[in-house]
Amino acid sequence: MSARLTGQTWLTASSTHAVMDALEAEGGPGCARFVGGCVRNALIGAPVDDIDIATTLTPDRTERAVRAAGLKAVPTGIAHGTVTAVSGRRPFEITTLRRDVSTDGRNATVAYTDDWLEDAGRRDFRLNALYADRAGMIFDPTGEGVADAAAGRVVFVGDPGTRIREDYLRILRFFRFFAWYGRGAPNAAALAACRELAPGMTRLSAERVSKELIKLMSAPDPVAALVAMDEAGVLAGVLPEARLTPAFAAAVTISEDPVIRLATLLPVDAAVARQAASRLRFPNRWRDRLAAAAETAPAVRLDMSPAEARAAIYRHGRQAFEDAVRRGWSEGPGKTAQAEPLLRLAADWTPPRLPVGGREVARLGVEPGPETGRVLKAFEDAWIADDFPADGHQARLGRLISQRRG
């Protein structure tokens, strides 16, 4: 019995119908089908974010059809046959059926086709080579995609080595999809091919690698995937600084934040964290957070007093403090009772501004210059040590200046 998608609001939405009507007005009924993640996720009851459509129409006809229907058409990937239609403020990525003419492990030269089997044959995994018509009827060209999705199996289409040599990024995609959708042990043939061909990942751009790592780290539970990556030598190939320890598994239970999870793979060394993040072209905010967390870690203990915690937040910033606390929490099992109060303190306390400045120092007879900076630094250190008193600043500043003159 054929599988069918049911209860999918995106499938019955007027915006979706408008796109399918536009394509069928140009190419006739059946010229377009939903493909990939939207079909897979709908089958297994997972959220559907992106709606991809495959079509027998060539890109120029796709663009013409979309515009003729009064919809916005954006040639987002025209070199590879992709046009994005915007309907009801939602993007629909529409790609012409393709077959590979040649590949170099990084980029592919494609030719358009009207053969659905050829298009399915060039896709990465069987659970991604699923199509559905506008009525929700599923087409499973490999004959195993529906079963794989239901069972949590991530299996390459055809020969794993062939698929990987077409694009070495598929090694990381295997572990990423296993992290999100896999259950049980990873597919043995896929794992063996990933292990054998891992050196080919050096051909990949840092940007493509980092995007896959970010998605992998964002999975609900990426532990099994990281263990498999480590055992296959893939983790060392993309992130040689990484050390997979029990802290990573603990971090996964503590936080959904991929930055926190990644931080537990790296040594507590700001320079190493910054170098790794820069090499992989992680977003600047990731790079800075990883470096700041490593830099702050030595100043943060889970048994620190509230006053010590406020001092660390003031000096290093709330985000770095929270990241360092979560890292310390992951490295010390059973420390929830210590970590959670520190995180609540960080969330609730607003660091005050330094209550004195150069003007107040000058009023007490200190000539503007380097001594002003030294006085303010000494005042700030004492103010922090006293846990940020709210008053008495002028008297404290006067005593400090008198002591320095004496």
Side-chain angles (χ1 to χ4, degrees), residues 197-385:
L197 298 173
M201 291 186 299
T202 56
R203 306 184 187 190
L204 301 173
S205 69
E207 290 82 358
R208 296 183 76 202
V209 170
S210 68
K211 285 179 181 178
E212 287 299 322
L213 281 177
I214 289 170
K215 291 176 181 178
L216 194 161
M217 290 289 176
S218 302
D221 186 356
V223 173
L226 261 290
V227 169
M229 279 181 69
D230 191 41
E231 292 175 349
V234 173
L235 182 59
V238 295
L239 192 62
E241 300 88 349
R243 296 295 180 269
L244 189 59
T245 69
F248 178 77
V252 168
T253 67
I254 289 168
S255 176
E256 297 179 353
D257 189 335
V259 179
I260 297 297
R261 296 171 174 186
L262 183 61
T264 62
L265 293 174
L266 299 173
V268 185
D269 186 317
V272 171
R274 186 175 294 278
Q275 181 182 38
S278 298
R279 188 187 69 250
L280 286 172
R281 307 288 176 84
F282 281 137
N284 289 344
R285 64 183 184 279
W286 275 48
R287 178 200 64 207
D288 295 342
R289 275 187 66 189
L290 288 168
E295 201 168 65
T296 304
V300 173
R301 306 184 324 275
L302 295 190
D303 63 350
M304 66 199 316
S305 68
E308 289 173 320
R310 285 188 284 270
I313 295 167
Y314 179 87
R315 290 189 183 281
H316 300 282
R318 179 182 286 111
Q319 182 72 75
F321 176 83
E322 292 176 340
D323 289 348
V325 168
R326 289 191 172 94
R327 176 169 189 149
W329 184 3
S330 72
E331 293 174 347
K335 294 191 175 180
T336 302
Q338 292 178 309
E340 288 185 340
L342 293 177
L343 293 173
R344 285 195 297 271
L345 186 154
D348 296 340
W349 183 67
T350 300
R353 297 182 63 182
L354 186 66
V356 298
R359 183 177 299 177
E360 287 78 12
V361 174
R363 285 173 182 165
L364 293 173
V366 177
E367 291 292 330
E371 179 62 11
T372 297
R374 289 190 285 268
V375 168
L376 288 174
K377 179 65 170 62
F379 176 92
E380 183 179 42
D381 289 342
W383 179 61
I384 294 171

Side-chain angles (χ1 to χ4, degrees), residues 111-133:
Y112 302 133
T113 179
D114 58 4
D115 188 328
W116 295 92
L117 289 176
E118 274 193 316
D119 187 75
R122 69 176 300 279
R123 293 182 179 271
D124 48 13
F125 310 114
R126 300 186 314 203
L127 82 173
N128 289 341
L130 291 171
Y131 306 78
D133 65 17

Side-chain angles (χ1 to χ4, degrees), residues 13-23 69 71 87 134:
S14 59
S15 56
T16 305
H17 283 312
V19 174
M20 297 300 279
D21 287 343
L23 297 174
L71 304 176
S87 176
R134 63 185 305 171

Side-chain angles (χ1 to χ4, degrees), residues 76-89:
T76 46
I78 202 70
H80 293 91
T82 300
V83 174
T84 297
V86 182
S87 176
R89 297 184 179 181

